[in-house]
Amino acid sequence: MEITRQRPASSPGPAAQFTGTVWLDEIAAPPAPSRLRIFSVHFAPGAHTAWHTHPHGQVLHVTEGAGLVQRAGGPVEPIRAGDTVWIAPGERHWHGAAPDTFMTHLATVEAAADGTTIEWAERVGEREYPGR
């Protein structure tokens, strides 16, 4: 058993992968053979990810506020505190805060054998994000 009492400092979401103000807190990244990664992600109103995929899928659990999530070809879906979203391996998607409120979610992924957890694509277009 290992208890972590200090986490790395919060880091800003890179502008190439996020629109708006986003902060990331690494919650867990246990040593091998575990490939689990957990982040708490804080989105300012209107902030969201670019399109992306995960090799082993992703679980999002909204802890505060309200947001939006969309998979390629599907409708934009509202999500709120208490909601949990399963995104299948390789499913192209984006997620973030609603236009008028903050949103925080826990993001859980499993790294691939090479250590990658995400493949980024282009930013979400202005016409794709509701409220713009």
Side-chain angles (χ1 to χ4, degrees):
M1 177 187 304
E2 182 178 319
I3 299 173
T4 301
R5 301 206 190 274
Q6 292 188 345
R7 298 186 310 212
S10 297
S11 61
Q17 288 97 26
F18 296 91
T19 296
T21 303
V22 178
W23 287 91
L24 304 143
D25 288 308
E26 184 181 274
I27 301 297
S34 176
R35 293 191 278 172
L36 176 69
R37 304 293 181 267
I38 303 173
F39 296 87
S40 181
V41 187
H42 314 273
F43 296 87
H48 54 279
T49 69
W51 288 100
H52 62 283
T53 61
H54 301 278
H56 293 290
Q58 180 180 48
V59 174
L60 302 175
H61 180 74
V62 182
T63 59
E64 296 179 278
L68 302 168
V69 63
Q70 182 182 24
R71 65 178 167 188
V76 175
E77 300 281 352
I79 52 177
R80 292 177 176 75
D83 290 351
T84 300
V85 181
W86 162 243
I87 298 151
E91 185 170 57
R92 184 176 153 88
H93 69 285
W94 65 266
H95 43 93
D100 59 353
T101 186
F102 285 85
M103 192 266 292
T104 299
H105 66 50
L106 295 176
T108 305
V109 295
E110 179 184 352
D114 67 2
T116 60
T117 59
I118 193 165
E119 184 174 320
W120 291 104
E122 75 278 5
R123 291 170 147 243
V124 174
E126 287 187 23
R127 295 181 187 177
E128 295 174 292
Y129 181 83
R132 289 200 166 182

